[in-house]
Amino acid sequence: MVACAVALAACSREGPSFKASDVTGVDFGRDFALTDHTGKARTLADFRGKAVLIFFGYTQCPDVCPTTLATLAEAMRELGPDADRVQVLFVTIDPERDTQELLAHYVPAFDRRFLGLYGDAAATERVAKEFKILYQKQPGSTPGSYTMDHSAGVYIFDPQGRLRLYASHGQGPEVFVHDLRELLRAAPAG
């Protein structure tokens, strides 16, 4: 009788309850090959053991990008010591203007642990395609004053390197804090 009750309890056990969209098992967002703002070549495997948040944007963005990075910085503060088990990556979709030096000043201004990633136009296109990110240059009044239309959302990977969640633009820090705690709880610190 006890064995039956244990078996039934195991069957009814639910997995974590997330606030962002659960995209576990999708066949995209598998990896990237870019350079970080310190000049180091990076792939997703470099961050194994940490939950990883990836956001695509550009430094000249007037609203969505800085707002999202500020929200992620607030989530990191709210996570306290668990934030050391999280890596935020900002991938530029504007390699023409977003140089290593500019990313090195811009991205860590939100949180010193954040990394800016960049590649040439071809690498940017490959990674954007892998993550199903749409982006397009919109002309400005001068050649250098263009803006970039782009998909806005945050991909969240578990510490094993699996894409698990997608948080659409406008989510507050509480969504990230809740979901990151769920992912980190499932993968105890090692």
Side-chain angles (χ1 to χ4, degrees), residues 75-152:
M76 295 289 274
R77 282 189 290 282
E78 290 181 26
L79 281 170
D82 281 339
D84 291 335
R85 297 176 57 207
V86 176
Q87 180 63 62
V88 173
L89 303 174
F90 175 81
V91 179
T92 183
I93 46 107
D94 186 12
E96 188 177 325
R97 290 184 298 193
D98 287 346
T99 62
Q100 178 182 343
E101 182 181 3
L102 182 54
L103 289 168
H105 290 306
Y106 181 80
V107 178
F110 292 92
D111 185 293
R112 63 178 174 71
R113 297 166 287 203
F114 289 9
L115 288 173
L117 299 178
Y118 67 95
D120 61 18
T124 301
E125 186 177 334
R126 272 192 307 278
V127 172
K129 185 176 181 181
E130 174 61 25
F131 281 83
K132 300 194 178 294
I133 296 296
L134 303 175
Y135 65 99
Q136 182 175 355
K137 185 189 279 190
Q138 296 299 325
S141 57
T142 64
S145 69
Y146 61 87
T147 59
M148 300 290 290
D149 288 344
H150 63 94
S151 305

Side-chain angles (χ1 to χ4, degrees), residues 32-67:
F32 58 83
L34 296 167
T35 304
D36 75 21
H37 68 251
T38 70
K40 184 174 180 179
R42 295 291 196 162
T43 67
L44 189 57
D46 293 328
F47 306 104
R48 193 70 38 103
K50 290 186 172 195
V52 175
L53 288 78
I54 299 180
F55 176 68
F56 290 79
Y58 67 113
T59 64
Q60 306 296 315
C61 180
D63 45 27
V64 172
C65 302
T67 302

